[in-house]
Amino acid sequence: MAETSQSPPLYTKTAWTNSGQYEAAVTVGMTPFRAMKQIVVPQLIANLLPNLTNILLDLVKDTALVYNIGIVEIMGQANIISSLGFKYLETYLDALIVYIVICWVIARLFQLTEFLMRRRYSPVNA
């Protein structure tokens, strides 16, 4: 079941890595674990970060849908608080600001991580 639910962007990125690089690393004497750790995984991480950022941000945004199932989260709390004081606009604007701040912080963290990974693992131009 987990194999069928793997998103296409993640699957295509795992298929993106060149198997020749892994084979070359093993040929020159690296152990398979070391070849994966030092050759394949850094390439995967650098190429997967944008997709993982989108998936995580979608997950944060979709928590509002979970409220409909019965779990109280940010919008649920806003609904409860606004019904107590009948200040719906202010409460929902506060919830909007919380969502924007959470998504902005997550996006910036992943942007910084992506920048550091690309700088660390990018090929050197000679």
Side-chain angles (χ1 to χ4, degrees):
M1 181 69 182
E3 297 295 330
T4 59
S5 65
Q6 187 178 20
S7 69
L10 294 181
Y11 178 73
T12 57
K13 291 296 182 180
T14 57
W16 174 85
T17 58
N18 188 354
S19 62
Q21 293 178 2
Y22 172 78
E23 292 170 3
V26 172
T27 303
V28 297
M30 285 186 163
T31 63
F33 177 76
R34 187 172 176 196
M36 288 295 287
K37 180 182 169 192
Q38 292 183 344
I39 306 293
V40 177
V41 172
Q43 292 177 20
L44 286 176
I45 290 172
N47 289 305
L48 283 176
L49 277 177
N51 291 335
L52 290 177
T53 304
N54 290 337
I55 291 169
L56 185 62
L57 290 176
D58 286 342
L59 181 68
V60 169
K61 293 174 192 174
D62 289 342
T63 57
L65 298 175
V66 174
Y67 173 66
N68 292 326
I69 299 172
I71 300 173
V72 178
E73 47 78 59
I74 296 172
M75 283 304 293
Q77 283 296 105
N79 195 14
I80 292 169
I81 292 170
S82 61
S83 67
L84 295 175
F86 299 107
K87 295 188 177 189
Y88 289 96
L89 181 65
E90 294 89 347
T91 309
Y92 288 141
L93 283 176
D94 290 342
L96 172 71
I97 291 169
V98 169
Y99 271 121
I100 289 173
V101 167
I102 289 172
C103 291
W104 184 82
V105 167
I106 290 172
R108 292 295 171 218
L109 286 174
F110 272 95
Q111 187 179 31
L112 176 65
T113 306
E114 181 182 350
F115 171 75
L116 293 174
M117 291 299 295
R118 291 217 183 260
R119 189 175 71 179
R120 181 175 178 183
Y121 294 111
S122 66
V124 178
N125 295 332

